Amino acid sequence: MNLPTVSVVMSVYNHGAFVRYAIDSVLSQDGVDLQFVIVNDGSTDESAAILDDYAAADARIRIIHQENCGLTRALIRGCAEATGDFIARQDADDISLPSRFRSQINYMNQHDLAFASCFVSQVGPENERLGEVRIADEPETATSQLLKNHSGVPCHGSMMMRRSVYESVDGYRSPFYYAQDTDLWSRLVEKGKYGCVPQCLYLLRSSPESISGSRRDVQARFHRLGIEAAVRRRNGSSDTLILDQASALTESVVRQYPAAKVRQNRAMSLYMIGATLLRNGDAAGQRYLRMSIQENPLFCRAWMRYLISFAVTGRTDKDDGRHGTGQHTLLNQASPIKSPQDTSVVDLSRRPSPQIDVSVVMSVFRDASHLRNAMDSVLNQQGVSLEVIAVDDGSTDGSGLILDEYALRDNRVRVMHQANTGLTRALINGCAAARGEFIARQDADDVSMPERFALQVQLLRSSKETVLVSSFTEVAGPGGEVLMVHDRPIDSQVATDLLLNGVCGPPRTRQRDVSTKHLRVGRRIPSRVLFRSGLRSLVAAGGAREDLLPPTSAISV
């Protein structure tokens, strides 16, 4: 058996809600042989069962079950099992894009680096887009910043290191219960150069439940100890005294951590998420500010920002399309933000938001084999501004990961993850989140012609009485053979009368748009409809039932 190129090490503690996405993202890496070491650090939710299921299905995965002892010791044990030339970190609630490991290995070899990270996209608890962390992408500069300023690593989970260098510095050190990465990076950079792949290849979830969310104050204390240890070593002194202090702090944290402190930290984390979303123009930030106040009613900054937000947004948190569903999550909601002081980002928050002509709503359930073609056909539409609202309706085949990948690359894509509830409820949720002047349907295994939306929008705008348009469609067989073309009357009154009388409506069999030209595909394609967003309440009331349409005009392209 060939040795793996990369050993991926992940610690899991009660991450049942997100761990499947993290594992799928690792197993989907392209161009590398990998070993996946997962340490179940005493989880009490369904995490252990999920991990065992994956291990039974994939020989690359090795599961280590242990009693809960914290992230540092879990990583020490996981890295001890690594056999690859490189060790890559992955957190259990984050996602790596398919090219991450290959890109980092190539970058490290090209620049002779000891370890490397990558640019990172940050999302909120419900996958709201927060921003992108980008640092200096020139290795000499990145190494200098880490040596001199102890800064410049986007996040722990994005890191990859040469195993030989990791072992030469004795790896993670158990006295650092938190901020173990600060201590490790400061020792690795004393052995070799550090760099950062200048691409967003890692999705980092910001959560008030995380260590940095709920215990940020004590994490900061460990961070300062890690820096002080590095300063002592570089001045020729021993860092033994600092390790003793870290051990004492670890003992106090393990013994007891005040619940009141947890609430204060959670409140601050929620405040930062809410303020960031509002700065990005996302009114969902009001909801996080309200949650921050609930955690800490005396948090004056949260109160002030919450009250000011009503004047700025002109709406309340209850107006947000996500409010109260408790089911779905969105990715790529807004544009990047200011990052911590030690990083620089591309800040797009002051750019004006373009008018959205069309909100394209797509429900996805186990459509991984055809999903990329469908997404590409929508994103390549000509002559209209659009957003894509893709509802992952509980897919189990990697479709959700594909959607998240598109959302990272294109800020027009918004992803909603939810438990499987069926097409109708998925469309209700998707249409509720639409912000465009018009709403268009697209199925996940089909393709739209590049001019489809532009032609349909043109028709709707040419007549204010017209509320619904479809198009001629082509039916294709499994091998791409053209079977037939479905058409409808192009006269508005005739088409409307046929719809109202229940004779026929938009093409309903599995077929595809042909607007002005045909495209052969390897499957059959469903019909296409675009309607004014004023009909959103009709959809929310129970779906686009033809007998509920108002007596206004409909027409086919």
Side-chain angles (χ1 to χ4, degrees):
M1 178 178 177
N2 294 330
L3 291 177
T5 305
V6 180
S7 294
V8 186
V9 178
M10 181 169 75
S11 173
V12 178
Y13 177 68
N14 291 349
H15 285 103
F18 299 110
V19 71
R20 292 183 187 275
Y21 292 108
I23 295 175
D24 287 341
S25 76
V26 171
L27 298 180
S28 300
Q29 293 294 306
D30 56 46
V32 294
D33 295 322
L34 61 85
Q35 168 197 33
F36 198 178
V37 182
I38 307 176
V39 181
N40 172 35
D41 190 35
S43 297
T44 57
D45 65 353
E46 68 272 28
S47 294
I50 293 172
L51 298 181
D52 287 338
D53 287 344
Y54 270 95
D58 197 312
R60 295 174 294 176
I61 300 177
R62 167 159 163 62
I63 307 298
I64 300 173
H65 295 285
Q66 65 178 29
E67 293 183 359
N68 179 253
C69 60
L71 176 61
T72 304
R73 298 198 176 199
L75 294 181
I76 290 173
R77 186 169 182 185
C79 289
E81 299 291 328
T83 59
D85 294 332
F86 301 88
I87 297 177
R89 280 283 292 111
Q90 170 74 41
D91 281 338
D93 54 353
D94 298 340
I95 292 174
S96 291
L97 292 194
S99 62
R100 177 198 157 192
F101 297 158
R102 170 173 49 82
S103 298
Q104 287 182 312
I105 290 172
N106 292 341
Y107 194 76
M108 291 173 68
N109 288 336
Q110 178 185 354
H111 297 282
D112 191 23
L113 305 178
F115 59 122
S117 59
C118 59
F119 291 173
V120 168
S121 292
Q122 295 177 296
V123 299
E126 295 187 359
N127 282 349
E128 306 92 342
R129 172 76 87 173
L130 297 179
E132 294 179 357
V133 179
R134 303 175 178 233
I135 69 165
D137 56 9
E138 206 285 317
E140 296 295 337
T141 304
T143 301
S144 176
Q145 288 180 348
L146 189 53
L147 273 169
K148 296 179 180 179
N149 303 325
H150 311 285
S151 64
V153 177
C155 72
H156 191 174
S158 69
M159 191 62 74
M160 177 183 286
M161 48 201 160
R162 296 187 189 275
R163 181 165 62 91
S164 59
V165 180
Y166 171 84
E167 292 174 348
S168 72
V169 299
D170 296 328
Y172 292 101
R173 299 197 290 188
S174 58
F176 284 87
Y177 194 75
Y178 298 138
Q180 62 287 114
D181 53 336
T182 299
D183 175 60
L184 179 59
W185 311 152
S186 67
R187 287 179 288 121
L188 288 176
V189 78
E190 294 167 3
K191 292 286 187 177
K193 292 192 298 183
Y194 161 66
C196 184
V197 178
Q199 301 175 50
C200 283
L201 301 174
Y202 193 80
L203 187 151
L204 170 67
R205 189 181 310 280
S206 298
S207 169
E209 307 298 336
S210 66
I211 294 172
S212 57
S214 64
R215 302 196 175 192
R216 57 190 309 116
D217 60 326
V218 71
Q219 184 186 45
R221 292 172 63 186
F222 277 106
H223 176 75
R224 289 192 293 270
L225 288 174
I227 293 175
E228 188 172 346
V231 171
R232 284 176 175 260
R233 288 194 306 272
R234 291 163 199 171
N235 289 335
S237 303
S238 171
D239 61 4
T240 303
L241 179 61
I242 304 301
L243 292 178
D244 291 341
Q245 294 178 19
S247 296
L249 183 56
T250 292
E251 185 179 347
S252 67
V253 170
V254 172
R255 185 174 59 252
Q256 182 179 11
Y257 189 80
K261 235 355 161 181
V262 171
R263 290 194 299 272
Q264 290 178 10
N265 290 329
R266 281 174 46 86
M268 176 58 75
S269 178
L270 289 164
Y271 168 80
M272 294 175 66
I273 293 170
T276 296
L277 290 172
L278 289 173
R279 188 162 57 245
N280 289 342
D282 186 351
Q286 291 177 322
R287 180 158 54 96
Y288 286 101
L289 293 177
R290 179 168 54 83
M291 292 166 64
S292 174
I293 293 169
Q294 290 172 342
E295 287 285 346
N296 182 8
L298 301 179
F299 193 0
C300 296
R301 288 174 62 189
W303 273 109
M304 291 179 61
R305 191 69 182 85
Y306 183 59
L307 296 174
I308 292 172
S309 69
F310 293 111
V312 174
T313 63
R315 59 189 288 185
T316 69
D317 52 12
K318 294 183 179 180
D319 295 324
D320 176 39
R322 283 161 283 173
H323 179 78
T325 65
Q327 298 181 45
H328 58 279
T329 58
L330 282 86
L331 176 63
N332 227 349
Q333 172 71 12
S335 53
I337 60 166
K338 295 178 180 179
S339 69
Q341 187 176 3
D342 58 0
T343 62
S344 60
V345 299
V346 176
D347 187 353
L348 304 181
S349 59
R350 295 188 179 181
R351 293 186 183 179
S353 298
Q355 173 65 36
I356 299 174
D357 295 322
V358 181
S359 294
V360 185
V361 178
M362 175 193 299
S363 174
V364 180
F365 178 67
R366 296 193 300 198
D367 291 304
S369 59
H370 302 302
L371 183 55
R372 293 184 186 277
N373 288 337
M375 291 292 294
D376 289 341
S377 77
V378 171
L379 296 174
N380 290 331
Q381 290 292 306
Q382 302 169 359
V384 292
S385 62
L386 58 84
E387 66 174 353
V388 182
I389 302 172
V391 184
D392 173 24
D393 190 35
S395 297
T396 57
D397 65 344
S399 293
L401 182 62
I402 294 174
L403 294 176
D404 288 341
E405 177 188 339
Y406 271 89
L408 282 174
R409 295 201 314 249
D410 194 317
N411 60 15
R412 294 175 297 172
V413 180
R414 304 163 64 202
V415 180
M416 306 170 68
H417 296 288
Q418 64 178 36
N420 179 253
T421 58
L423 177 62
T424 302
R425 295 193 179 186
L427 295 181
I428 289 173
N429 286 338
C431 289
R435 300 176 297 183
E437 181 181 358
F438 305 100
I439 297 176
R441 278 283 292 113
Q442 168 77 34
D443 279 346
D445 55 350
D446 306 330
V447 177
S448 289
M449 294 293 95
E451 65 275 21
R452 174 200 161 191
F453 297 153
L455 290 173
Q456 290 180 319
V457 166
Q458 181 181 355
L459 273 176
L460 281 169
R461 285 178 173 162
S462 67
S463 172
K464 296 299 183 182
E465 293 182 348
T466 303
V467 300
L468 173 70
V469 299
S470 60
S471 68
F472 291 2
T473 59
E474 181 184 73
V475 181
E481 61 276 15
V482 177
L483 302 179
M484 67 186 73
V485 174
H486 277 243
D487 59 12
R488 289 292 185 268
I490 62 174
D491 180 85
S492 174
Q493 189 58 53
V494 174
T496 301
D497 289 343
L498 291 174
L499 179 59
L500 288 173
N501 293 326
V503 177
C504 67
R508 311 179 74 176
T509 56
R510 296 187 62 79
Q511 40 196 289
R512 78 155 293 171
D513 287 314
V514 292
S515 297
T516 58
K517 61 179 179 181
H518 293 213
L519 176 67
R520 295 172 62 85
V521 294
R523 57 193 179 280
R524 294 185 299 167
I525 311 293
S527 63
R528 297 287 177 265
V529 175
L530 184 145
F531 51 92
R532 296 187 187 277
S533 58
L535 293 182
R536 199 176 308 169
S537 59
L538 177 150
V539 176
R545 289 172 46 197
E546 292 174 0
D547 59 326
L548 292 180
L549 286 172
T552 50
S553 298
I555 191 169
S556 287
V557 177

